[in-house]
Amino acid sequence: MKGCGIPAKFINDWRRIGVHPASMSNPSSPSPLGRLLSIGLILVLIASGLFVLMRKKQGDNTASSGGPPGSAGESAPVLSETLTAVPALGPPGVAQLKDNTVDLELSKYGGYAGLLLANGGIQPTENSAFFRDHGFKVRIALAEQDDWSGLNSGRFAASATTTDVLAVYGRQLQVTCPLMISYSRGADGILVRSDIKSLNKLAGRTAIAAQFNESDFFLRYLAQEAGIGVNPLPSLSSPPAPDKINLVYTDDAFTAGDLFLEDVKSGANRLAACVTWAPKTSEVVSGSDGKARLLTSNRNLLVVSDILLVNKGFAQANPKIVTGLVAGILQGNRQVRANPQAANAVLKTAFGWEPAECQEELVKIHLTNLPENQAYFAGTIDMAGSFGGIYQSAVVAYGKDLLPDPAGYEKFIDPAPLKAAADSGKFAGETISIAPIKSSSTGSIEADPLLSKDIRFQFEPNSSKLIATETLNQTSLADVQRLLRISPGSQLRLRGHVDNANYEQFKSQGDAVLRKAALGAMQLSQDRANEIKRVLTEQFKIDPARIETVGRGWEEPVGTDSTKNRRVEVLWFTLE
């Protein structure tokens, strides 16, 4: 059996004391007594080695976690090593078409329901849409561990992941991306302790996720939007940064949820949040006895998009097959969108899911169509993230220390298959249909914002008129607009502030002067917030009903720096 050979360490130990491992089976050994002594020494060495390894493993776990999370006797959390560099992939190669069959690797995820339906399951068959319409078959292997080296080397021809992962591996991953398969709409979520009301409250505290996948990106993305840094920790015993969201990691997102729940129930208070996905999100909340809650999911925060990746050498050698893959998946997506129950049989065969579970998972997915794909890659899609936008957001979120030389996202896009799908006329009449998903319980905006962020705008002195030539203003407006664009149904509250530099001067002139100046400051801050709203609605075509404005004058300074006090505070409310 693989993995049962004698470790090299033990062989070297035996050789150092003059015992060769071959003597166990060598008939020329000196004597029965000598053989017996040799075997005894070997058994002692093996037992000693196992004991040392077990003690080392326990020590590593304790070092990683900083000790047990709860009372004495509880097992320590099993954290993975916090990587300071993106793992290197094996060298690139070209995947081969074998027996007219494309080898494709996937995980168990409802977002692939259309692909499975088009293929009639995971086995290659001439009854699939791929064979009937395009003349090739598809064999799907299920794997929960990503094998990017396997895709890169050509061990298989295609796979699927999220756009943020492509940004992480970037230049070393030789693939093309011809299709966005689906948006995750509620499968991913950030869980927090019940006293934490917004993402900003995670600053100075520690969260747990799985590194370099969508759970890591999801938290980093929101931290980036809130203007909060992220600080990966080597272990739970490492001192956290007081002004950043601190992160520790585990091998997978489900374990992250388990360890967070363990920490919450034990009262250790080492972990303030975790990022995981369904059904673990529900399990943690229900198992926490009210001590944990869902801060947000991506049900209305469309930055987790599932994309098809094709080995680059295979794509270049087989463009018609890639075109057929794209057309077949779009066809399957359309069938599932029209009748979700049509996917029950193939999902049960492929994943072992019962019909109720199939439908529960499909609710959390938006299977994309042709015009949504066209807009996604062109960067013009409304109410959702685009390929370039998500890719670039991931590059910024991970930072130059992890991604010192990121690749440009354009190099991965293969537009030909989507163009061929459009030219075929098979998908005529489809329209973009992304809309807010309201909660069945309330359907209203949450009382607490998901995050708040101070954004600078340059106004003319003592005026609400933006300085037209100031490039910072356009950048800041785009930042605000992006929040509304990638989150269907979300709303903003713009809170205007002015500096209080002349407060003492007005105060020295008496209460009447001070009161008049305070009212003027309040009105100016309201006018400035209103001006931002006007530009957003007129220039960026934002529905004015999605923006509320409030003027706070000089009542809420953030410090003594007048420049920092002249600001517009953006509160972002998402639907849950």
Side-chain angles (χ1 to χ4, degrees):
M1 178 181 286
K2 184 179 179 181
C4 292
I6 301 173
K9 176 184 182 301
F10 295 148
I11 293 176
N12 291 334
D13 287 343
W14 297 333
R15 285 171 176 159
R16 279 197 294 271
I17 63 173
V19 179
H20 196 285
S23 64
M24 289 191 293
S25 58
N26 188 349
S28 64
S29 298
S31 68
L33 179 60
R35 288 197 298 271
L36 183 61
L37 289 173
S38 296
I39 293 172
L41 285 171
I42 290 168
L43 291 175
V44 169
L45 281 169
I46 292 175
S48 300
L50 290 173
F51 177 76
V52 169
L53 288 173
M54 291 176 67
R55 288 293 302 272
K56 183 179 185 301
K57 179 64 176 175
Q58 291 174 351
D60 287 346
N61 284 344
T62 302
S64 296
S65 66
S71 58
E74 288 188 353
S75 60
V78 180
L79 301 179
S80 61
E81 178 187 2
T82 298
L83 300 179
T84 57
V86 176
L89 301 181
V94 179
Q96 301 299 316
L97 187 69
K98 302 172 184 176
D99 301 323
N100 196 32
T101 300
V102 177
D103 285 303
L104 195 154
E105 194 168 277
L106 295 176
S107 61
K108 292 183 179 181
Y109 172 56
Y112 308 138
L115 194 165
L116 288 165
L117 186 62
N119 199 49
I122 63 174
Q123 297 300 327
T125 172
E126 293 184 359
N127 294 322
S128 72
F130 299 115
F131 188 83
R132 290 195 312 268
D133 298 340
H134 307 283
F136 65 89
K137 293 177 284 187
V138 174
R139 176 171 39 240
I140 299 171
L142 299 179
E144 291 307 311
Q145 294 295 323
D146 295 328
D147 183 9
W148 303 126
S149 286
L151 178 61
N152 213 40
S153 66
R155 189 174 64 79
F156 49 94
S159 184
T161 187
T162 52
T163 303
D164 53 280
V165 173
L166 182 57
V168 169
Y169 289 95
R171 201 174 298 279
Q172 61 176 324
L173 189 55
Q174 296 298 305
V175 295
T176 64
C177 177
L179 180 73
M180 193 257 285
I181 302 171
S182 63
Y183 280 113
S184 173
R185 297 208 66 175
D188 305 276
I190 299 176
L191 305 176
V192 296
R193 292 179 176 271
S194 295
D195 62 321
I196 295 174
K197 302 303 180 184
S198 76
L199 191 86
N200 300 71
K201 298 300 182 182
L202 289 178
R205 306 184 73 171
T206 301
I208 185 169
Q211 196 169 18
F212 298 141
N213 67 17
E214 62 264 41
S215 69
D216 194 3
F217 168 67
F218 193 37
L219 184 58
R220 285 174 175 270
Y221 175 84
L222 290 175
Q224 171 189 314
E225 292 295 347
I228 305 172
V230 170
N231 179 47
L233 295 175
S235 72
L236 272 173
S237 60
S238 304
D243 58 343
K244 297 179 180 180
I245 298 176
N246 300 277
L247 271 173
V248 292
Y249 294 106
T250 189
D251 286 340
D252 60 81
F254 269 30
T255 304
D258 291 335
L259 296 183
F260 174 62
L261 178 59
E262 179 184 340
D263 189 77
V264 168
K265 294 176 71 173
S266 71
N269 202 29
R270 288 172 176 254
L271 296 172
C274 77
V275 193
T276 185
W277 43 70
K280 186 59 65 177
T281 45
S282 300
E283 292 174 9
V284 173
V285 171
S286 62
S288 72
D289 297 324
K291 295 178 181 178
R293 72 184 190 94
L294 179 69
L295 177 66
T296 190
S297 74
N298 60 355
R299 179 170 56 176
N300 287 302
L301 186 55
L302 301 188
V303 294
V304 178
S305 57
D306 307 292
I307 54 175
L308 177 69
L309 296 185
V310 182
N311 174 274
K312 188 172 183 178
F314 180 89
Q316 291 173 339
N318 303 279
K320 291 184 178 179
I321 287 180
V322 179
T323 294
L325 276 174
V326 168
I329 295 172
L330 288 175
Q331 180 180 329
N333 279 2
R334 181 167 60 186
Q335 289 177 273
V336 178
R337 283 166 64 130
N339 178 20
Q341 286 74 24
N344 286 350
V346 292
L347 289 175
K348 180 175 176 59
T349 301
F351 300 163
W353 293 353
E354 295 300 326
E357 187 177 4
C358 294
Q359 297 309 302
E360 182 181 351
E361 293 302 314
L362 289 177
V363 167
K364 301 166 188 169
I365 306 300
H366 178 86
L367 297 173
T368 56
N369 61 22
L370 175 62
E372 288 165 350
N373 263 275
Q374 291 171 320
Y376 175 78
F377 286 104
T380 58
I381 192 166
D382 196 17
M383 308 277 267
S386 65
F387 181 79
I390 295 173
Y391 186 100
Q392 297 287 43
S393 293
V395 169
V396 174
Y398 281 106
K400 60 185 172 98
D401 289 339
L402 286 171
L403 306 181
D405 186 25
Y409 67 86
E410 298 92 344
K411 67 169 287 188
F412 297 105
I413 300 175
D414 179 4
L418 285 177
K419 183 179 184 304
D423 292 343
S424 72
K426 293 181 179 180
F427 305 100
E430 292 184 339
T431 59
I432 294 175
S433 58
I434 295 172
I437 301 175
K438 295 186 178 181
S439 169
S440 57
S441 57
T442 62
S444 61
I445 296 295
E446 290 185 292
D448 298 305
L450 172 58
L451 59 84
S452 62
K453 181 179 184 179
D454 288 339
I455 297 182
R456 309 272 171 238
F457 292 94
Q458 297 297 320
F459 295 91
E460 294 183 358
N462 299 313
S463 167
S464 61
K465 185 176 181 181
L466 285 167
I467 300 176
T469 57
E470 179 57 62
T471 56
L472 174 64
N473 288 338
Q474 291 302 313
T475 301
S476 297
L477 286 166
D479 287 345
V480 177
Q481 180 257 3
R482 185 177 62 251
L483 294 176
L484 292 171
R485 187 174 184 180
I486 56 92
S487 181
S490 64
Q491 297 184 14
L492 297 180
R493 183 177 300 150
L494 304 179
R495 303 177 83 247
H497 302 270
V498 298
D499 71 77
N500 60 351
N502 296 322
Y503 176 83
E504 293 299 330
Q505 176 186 340
F506 292 131
K507 184 178 180 181
S508 69
Q509 297 178 45
D511 290 345
V513 173
L514 178 62
R515 187 162 50 252
K516 181 178 180 181
L519 290 173
M522 194 73 75
Q523 186 60 52
L524 179 59
S525 64
Q526 178 73 56
D527 292 343
R528 286 180 169 178
N530 288 342
E531 176 66 5
I532 301 304
K533 177 178 179 178
R534 183 192 68 79
V535 177
L536 286 170
T537 56
E538 293 182 4
Q539 182 174 326
F540 293 96
K541 309 305 179 185
I542 301 297
D543 181 357
R546 300 180 69 188
I547 305 174
E548 176 189 351
T549 60
V550 178
R552 295 301 300 143
W554 59 41
E555 296 296 320
E556 300 173 6
V558 292
T560 57
D561 188 330
S562 295
T563 302
K564 291 183 178 180
N565 288 328
R566 292 193 294 268
R567 70 197 194 279
V568 173
E569 182 186 5
V570 180
L571 279 67
W572 189 28
F573 297 83
T574 57
L575 282 175
E576 278 299 338

